[in-house]
Amino acid sequence: MEQTITIMLVDDHALLRAGLKLLLQKKPSLEVVGEAADGIEALQLYEELRPQILILDISMPRLDGIQVLKEIKLRYEQAKVIVLTMHEDEDYITSIMQAGASGYIPKVAVDEELYTAIDSVVNGHIYLRPQETRTLLSSMLKKTPKKAESQNPYVLLSPREREVLVFLAKGYTLVETAQQLTLSIKTVDTHKTRMMNKLNVSRKSELVEYAMKYKLLNDGTV
């Protein structure tokens, strides 16, 4: 029998809470055990109920969601909080995750994706959609560009990504690289994409420059 997951809803809009509750009740394994309409009430009710998942709005009266999140994480380090908000800009997402959220979903996107987020968070993972992940990575790169650029590629890349880097930088095509490494073209292309994301480059010429900078073209690998 599937274990029941207890959930508490915090939002100052009664209609949204009602909609979320109806959505969650479609899955027998999810049980909404409490609702709060403001930050102060949320803290008091969480203390009483200790739900497995807290679904939390950010913009609320009396005490905003960020403050509620920080206070709950201070009292209960293992608390699992999924934040719902109308705000999708970089600063908000960064603040939410730094405050200790386990997941983030824009209100405009709330649908059955919420089930996926709950399952992920219950299993100890952080839930972010690809666009939010990119936003956070972009924010991190902006704040630490020098550190990222100065790191040796053997720290940044996996062993296979290093091999792909050297072949491509020496002029091998994806097909030729795949043949040399006994891999599928799709696998090589995946390694290339991940490698370029890690190195924050977008063109093959930048790979060549990177390889030359760290003297990878003279290491005898290829």
Side-chain angles (χ1 to χ4, degrees):
M1 185 176 178
E2 196 172 6
Q3 186 176 3
T4 300
I5 298 170
T6 57
I7 297 171
M8 178 176 150
L9 303 176
V10 181
D11 194 291
D12 60 330
H13 293 95
L15 283 176
L16 182 59
R17 294 200 311 274
L20 287 173
K21 191 171 183 179
L22 284 174
L23 177 65
L24 295 169
Q25 286 176 336
K26 291 180 181 179
K27 288 199 75 173
S29 61
L30 304 179
E31 180 186 2
V32 176
V33 295
E35 300 177 41
D38 64 60
I40 299 297
E41 184 183 0
L43 289 176
Q44 294 170 343
L45 194 58
Y46 188 90
E47 179 82 28
E48 177 185 337
L49 299 175
R50 306 285 183 88
Q52 290 169 270
I53 298 287
L54 174 64
I55 297 178
L56 176 68
D57 182 24
I58 288 299
S59 302
M60 290 187 301
R62 300 178 71 192
L63 192 66
D64 69 43
I66 291 287
Q67 292 173 294
V68 172
L69 174 57
K70 288 180 177 178
E71 185 63 31
I72 285 177
K73 292 296 290 187
L74 183 64
R75 298 181 191 179
Y76 311 101
E77 188 177 350
Q78 301 305 315
K80 299 181 186 302
V81 183
I82 297 174
V83 170
L84 300 181
T85 177
M86 294 297 293
H87 305 286
E88 298 185 55
D89 60 87
E90 183 178 301
D91 289 340
Y92 257 92
I93 297 172
T94 302
S95 298
I96 288 165
M97 300 314 294
Q98 287 178 340
S102 299
Y104 164 90
I105 300 179
K107 284 185 177 180
V108 293
V110 172
D111 51 21
E112 293 192 0
E113 180 186 356
L114 187 56
Y115 301 149
T116 304
I118 291 170
D119 287 341
S120 180
V121 169
V122 163
N123 286 300
H125 305 298
I126 297 294
Y127 182 82
L128 287 171
R129 300 185 306 166
Q131 48 266 59
E132 276 78 56
T133 301
R134 287 194 294 270
T135 297
L136 286 175
L137 287 173
S138 174
S139 177
M140 291 168 61
L141 287 170
K142 287 177 184 176
K143 291 177 181 177
T144 58
K146 293 182 179 178
K147 183 177 180 181
E149 290 172 4
S150 66
Q151 284 206 53
N152 188 292
Y154 288 92
V155 175
L156 291 171
L157 307 180
S158 71
R160 185 62 84 183
E161 288 166 347
R162 298 171 203 158
E163 291 179 320
V164 172
L165 168 61
V166 174
F167 275 106
L168 294 178
K170 288 190 173 184
Y172 286 71
T173 64
L174 286 179
V175 174
E176 291 168 337
T177 301
Q179 291 171 342
Q180 291 292 325
L181 297 176
T182 320
L183 299 170
S184 69
I185 297 172
K186 183 178 179 181
T187 298
V188 171
D189 191 43
T190 298
H191 285 307
K192 175 190 173 186
T193 300
R194 290 176 180 170
M195 170 186 65
M196 294 182 80
N197 286 337
K198 288 181 181 181
L199 300 181
N200 196 29
V201 300
S202 57
R203 298 188 300 275
K204 188 174 180 180
S205 60
E206 293 176 292
L207 285 182
V208 176
E209 292 174 7
Y210 200 93
M212 291 177 65
K213 178 180 178 180
Y214 290 99
K215 300 181 173 58
L216 301 181
L217 302 183
N218 302 316
D219 65 0
T221 302
V222 180

